[in-house]
Amino acid sequence: MTQDDSHVGANFIRNLIDADQKSGKHDGRVTTRFPPEPNGYLHIGHVKSICLNFGVAEHYNGSCNLRFDDTNPAKESEEYVNAIKADVKWLGFEWDELRHASDYFDQLHDFAVDLIKQGKAYVDSSSAEEMRQMRGTLTEPGRESPYRNRTVEQNLELFAGMKAGDFDDGEHILRAKIDMSSGNINLRDPALYRIRKISHVRTGDKWNIYPMYDFTHCLSDAIEDITHSLCTLEFEDHRPLYDWVIDQLDTPSHPQQIEFARLHLEYTMLSKRRLIQLVNDNLVDGWDDPRMPTILGLRRRGYTPAALKDFCERIGITKNDSVIEMAVLETCIRDDLNTHAERRLAVLDPIKVVITSLADDHAQELTFKNHPQDDSAGTRPYTFTKEVYIEREDFAENPPPKYQRLIPGGEVRLRGCYVIKCTEVIKNSDGDVIELHCTHDPDTLGKKPEGRKVKGVVHWVSAKTAVPATVRLYDQLFNTPNPAAEASFEAALSPNSVTVLSNALVEPSLAQAPAETRFQFERTGYFVADRNEHSESNPVFNRVVTLRDVWAK
RNA sequence: UGGGCCGUCGCCAAGCGGUUAAGGCACCGGGUUUUGAUCCCGGCAUUCGGAGGUUCGAAUCCUCCCGGCCCAGCCA
């Protein structure tokens, strides 16, 4: 491919920036920021925003800051700050500068005083309830507060009192003086500063007042010289306010706010509130539960940064309120792991097979390729012995139509080994199959059998060398494409979102693998050694995703 | 019924007045294969929410209509 690939990853925002570049706006500089509020863990919706912001900066050789929007000390904590930093790093992005909205509290305060002096902000002493009453409705204009025409001096004095801690929470509030009859409710004298007598993670007890988002975000962007402030669609209505604030004040720059659609993914839930509920109500095992759509959960599930970035690339950036099918995400991780994960053999639900044609002490060293298409992945030794285990579902006494596996009297190939024939089915007193007796065809190692076709291939482990392991199979957390639309989201929880197999048998190299190593267990799916629980003495694997399975359909 | 935004294949998404309306996912064939995987090859919108209009020419411009999303926190 020698062609121009500047169009890949193109979207309406990039088109817009291209136009800016052409017109020389910002002198061609591009600076973005990813601005999470540290009040929860990041999820795949944030990944979209992270990839966009860092991706755009990278594309134009610009920079991207990580900025914590920490203006509400009641909800924020250091725990979240650290988790967010770790998540962004894990995704492979490096921020240009690490900032906090709280870094600007002094400047923000001065800007507020400036606004008051200009007669464009006033202290309102109405209660929250009164303010709500006077705000009007979607179809009726609001009414002006009786405090709206306080003098500059009164406002300055009151605001200073708020700052000094002379008043209690809710007694006064600083509001912008814009237009109580605006069709855009955000312009009906929005709150700028509220009294909150609680300490802040970073500024401690210095402040008794904290700035609101609408006042903070635009000014923080301006202070950091952000060129393109990318945010989600629900802030479209706030853009006139974003511009208003900056227009009234003497700021270093006037960034452009551009909105794009949030991510919606089928069979999951990306609302922070709901996610917190899942954790708090113990409906999942914490923020890093492999079923969670959090970055931590996806990571523990076995997703890779590359797959998540590929996903963001594939879904695009638009203003369409779209819903992505899970298949897209799954395809991304399969693609990545198909090319990068080594193959291994693991029997999840074992049934014993005795090769009666072999000597009791038979131990034959075979060599298996670690990757069928990539020789650089090397090989590993594999031992064939008289007793092996195969998957219980790879044997059927009464096979369904087109079944290609082992049946009584039938033949199947042991992966990388010989073709075996089932000669006897051993059952217990309940009639359950507990063991199979087979003979092997010594002429089929690395060769097709003569005079007949054996289509089935099954994976196996040697009874002598296999290691017991715990394997967890995951499925969608919810049983409906749009759980958020359900009356009770607990009712939408799938009862079978996790299956723990504690009798699995895996090849020895798997137990020795470091945590977070990903493999393809041939024929069963992609798995990852659990980040928290896996060890050589207690191997634990999570299924990332199944293999594509045409037959299952 | 106020304000803002969105509607191109089952799901995403290019397209920006002249293209046979990209591409991906999904799906449906067929080939290779010691993973029912991978890989390969082929199929998959005479039509762009609808109706009018402008134009030699419209998914792209205009008008009206229909459908969907967001906004009434001293949250972000």
Side-chain angles (χ1 to χ4, degrees), chain A residues 274-291:
Chain A
R274 297 297 208 175
L275 259 22
I276 286 172
Q277 194 182 341
L278 286 173
V279 173
N280 289 348
D281 295 357
N282 291 311
L283 298 169
V284 295
D285 305 322
W287 290 101
D288 66 346
D289 185 299
R291 295 165 295 180

Side-chain angles (χ1 to χ4, degrees), chain A residues 342-346 368 370 379-382 461 465-467 505-515 517 519-521 529 534-536 539 541:
Chain A
E342 292 193 356
R343 311 288 122 120
R344 291 292 187 273
L345 265 33
F368 282 11
N370 287 329
T379 62
R380 65 190 191 280
Y382 210 85
V461 292
T465 59
V467 177
L505 291 170
V506 304
E507 61 171 285
S509 66
L510 248 14
Q512 292 149 16
T517 314
F519 297 97
Q520 183 196 91
F521 289 1
H534 177 269
S535 68
E536 185 165 357
F541 291 90

Side-chain angles (χ1 to χ4, degrees), chain A residues 358-376:
Chain A
L358 250 32
D360 288 355
D361 62 351
H362 188 86
Q364 184 175 0
E365 288 300 319
L366 303 167
T367 300
F368 282 11
K369 289 177 72 171
N370 287 329
H371 192 108
Q373 281 89 32
D374 179 9
D375 288 341
S376 72

Side-chain angles (χ1 to χ4, degrees), chain A residues 67-71 99-106 108 200 202 211 216-217 220 224:
Chain A
R67 179 170 77 230
F68 288 102
D69 223 333
D70 55 351
T71 58
R99 300 294 185 95
H100 302 257
S102 55
D103 296 338
Y104 312 132
F105 280 176
D106 284 310
L108 259 18
H200 185 282
R202 303 190 73 251
T216 308
H217 205 96
S220 301
E224 290 176 28

Side-chain angles (χ1 to χ4, degrees), chain A residues 351 392 395 397-398 425-435:
Chain A
I351 182 169
R392 186 168 293 275
F395 172 78
E397 254 192 313
N398 303 298
V425 179
I426 316 290
K427 297 180 179 177
N428 65 13
S429 53
D430 293 336
D432 301 323
V433 178
I434 53 166
E435 191 174 306

Side-chain angles (χ1 to χ4, degrees), chain A residues 275-550:
Chain A
L275 259 22
I276 286 172
Q277 194 182 341
L278 286 173
V279 173
N280 289 348
D281 295 357
N282 291 311
L283 298 169
V284 295
D285 305 322
W287 290 101
D288 66 346
D289 185 299
R291 295 165 295 180
M292 287 284 274
T294 50
I295 294 179
L296 235 32
L298 290 161
R299 175 176 179 177
R300 192 159 169 217
R301 175 72 168 267
Y303 272 83
T304 59
L308 295 175
K309 288 176 183 171
D310 182 31
F311 173 72
C312 291
E313 205 65 48
R314 293 191 197 214
I315 61 176
I317 298 288
T318 67
K319 301 184 77 141
N320 299 346
D321 194 14
S322 55
V323 183
I324 311 296
E325 293 178 341
M326 260 301 172
V328 180
L329 220 207
E330 293 184 346
T331 293
C332 292
I333 190 61
R334 284 195 188 107
D335 268 17
D336 185 14
L337 264 22
N338 176 47
T339 60
H340 297 116
E342 292 193 356
R343 311 288 122 120
R344 291 292 187 273
L345 265 33
V347 178
L348 276 27
D349 181 18
I351 182 169
K352 186 185 268 189
V353 173
V354 179
I355 319 288
T356 55
S357 50
L358 250 32
D360 288 355
D361 62 351
H362 188 86
Q364 184 175 0
E365 288 300 319
L366 303 167
T367 300
F368 282 11
K369 289 177 72 171
N370 287 329
H371 192 108
Q373 281 89 32
D374 179 9
D375 288 341
S376 72
T379 62
R380 65 190 191 280
Y382 210 85
T383 311
F384 179 46
T385 55
K386 184 184 178 76
E387 289 188 356
V388 300
Y389 286 92
I390 66 169
E391 209 69 66
R392 186 168 293 275
E393 63 173 30
D394 283 338
F395 172 78
E397 254 192 313
N398 303 298
K402 298 200 177 162
Y403 191 75
Q404 292 179 9
R405 311 174 192 182
L406 196 59
I407 60 174
E411 284 185 307
V412 83
R413 176 180 294 278
L414 292 180
R415 174 68 162 149
C417 192
Y418 298 93
V419 168
I420 59 169
K421 179 181 199 167
C422 179
T423 53
E424 195 181 352
V425 179
I426 316 290
K427 297 180 179 177
N428 65 13
S429 53
D430 293 336
D432 301 323
V433 178
I434 53 166
E435 191 174 306
L436 301 170
H437 283 6
C438 294
T439 55
H440 79 296
D441 179 343
D443 206 28
T444 54
L445 185 63
K447 274 192 289 196
K448 285 191 166 40
E450 303 223 347
R452 63 212 197 268
K453 265 187 191 151
V454 173
K455 222 176 173 193
V457 177
V458 302
H459 56 280
W460 58 281
V461 292
S462 162
K464 204 165 271 175
T465 59
V467 177
T470 299
V471 174
R472 301 161 176 147
L473 308 181
Y474 293 102
D475 201 351
Q476 313 291 11
L477 224 202
F478 296 96
N479 55 28
T480 166
N482 184 11
E486 298 301 309
S488 153
F489 96 126
E490 281 100 327
L493 280 170
S494 171
N496 308 314
S497 55
V498 59
T499 306
V500 180
L501 303 173
S502 40
N503 299 315
L505 291 170
V506 304
E507 61 171 285
S509 66
L510 248 14
Q512 292 149 16
E516 284 202 286
T517 314
R518 300 167 184 87
F519 297 97
Q520 183 196 91
F521 289 1
E522 291 199 31
R523 304 210 310 130
T524 60
Y526 293 99
F527 292 77
V528 64
D530 188 80
R531 181 147 106 99
N532 301 156
E533 296 165 38
H534 177 269
S535 68
E536 185 165 357
S537 57
N538 178 38
V540 179
F541 291 90
N542 302 327
R543 185 170 68 195
V544 189
V545 67
T546 60
L547 254 32
R548 240 181 107 240
D549 188 353
V550 175

Side-chain angles (χ1 to χ4, degrees), chain A residues 41-238:
Chain A
Y41 285 80
L42 263 25
H43 55 65
I44 192 166
H46 295 105
V47 176
K48 179 178 180 182
S49 175
I50 291 169
C51 288
L52 206 220
N53 278 292
F54 283 92
V56 158
E58 192 177 338
H59 181 78
Y60 294 96
N61 280 313
S63 52
C64 180
N65 294 346
L66 171 60
R67 179 170 77 230
F68 288 102
D69 223 333
D70 55 351
T71 58
N72 187 355
K75 290 189 174 178
E76 298 149 8
S77 81
E78 192 69 22
E79 174 198 357
Y80 296 129
V81 168
N82 293 329
I84 289 168
K85 286 198 258 188
D87 283 346
V88 173
K89 280 186 190 164
W90 177 73
L91 283 171
F93 292 108
E94 285 175 36
W95 51 84
D96 196 68
E97 304 211 24
L98 178 64
R99 300 294 185 95
H100 302 257
S102 55
D103 296 338
Y104 312 132
F105 280 176
D106 284 310
Q107 289 173 79
L108 259 18
H109 166 79
D110 293 348
F111 276 130
V113 169
D114 187 353
L115 226 40
I116 294 171
K117 286 180 177 163
Q118 292 185 53
K120 289 168 180 166
Y122 63 97
V123 173
D124 196 330
S125 308
S126 306
S127 66
E129 174 60 18
E130 287 166 335
M131 266 180 65
R132 196 177 62 75
Q133 295 287 342
M134 300 188 68
R135 190 157 26 236
T137 67
L138 294 179
T139 51
E140 301 158 37
R143 301 189 320 273
E144 295 186 353
S145 162
Y147 304 98
R148 198 173 199 260
N149 293 312
R150 288 218 256 231
T151 64
V152 169
E153 289 66 34
Q154 284 176 308
N155 286 322
L156 250 18
E157 191 183 324
L158 252 9
F159 188 54
M162 284 166 66
K163 180 182 180 236
D166 297 345
F167 308 111
D168 291 330
D169 287 16
E171 267 193 82
H172 303 290
I173 191 157
L174 185 72
R175 291 227 257 172
K177 191 188 281 189
I178 308 182
D179 179 6
M180 286 307 291
S181 62
S182 173
N184 182 347
I185 292 175
N186 293 295
L187 263 22
R188 318 239 265 228
D189 291 7
L192 265 25
Y193 262 93
R194 77 289 218 187
I195 300 170
R196 276 273 182 291
K197 294 181 137 176
I198 50 176
S199 75
H200 185 282
V201 195
R202 303 190 73 251
T203 60
D205 294 323
K206 176 174 176 183
W207 296 91
N208 295 299
I209 53 173
Y210 292 95
M212 301 287 291
Y213 165 85
D214 283 307
F215 189 64
T216 308
H217 205 96
C218 51
L219 292 172
S220 301
D221 283 344
I223 289 167
E224 290 176 28
D225 249 333
I226 299 302
T227 55
H228 304 272
S229 179
L230 315 180
C231 64
T232 43
L233 248 26
E234 68 271 25
F235 292 102
E236 258 174 330
D237 287 344
H238 294 242

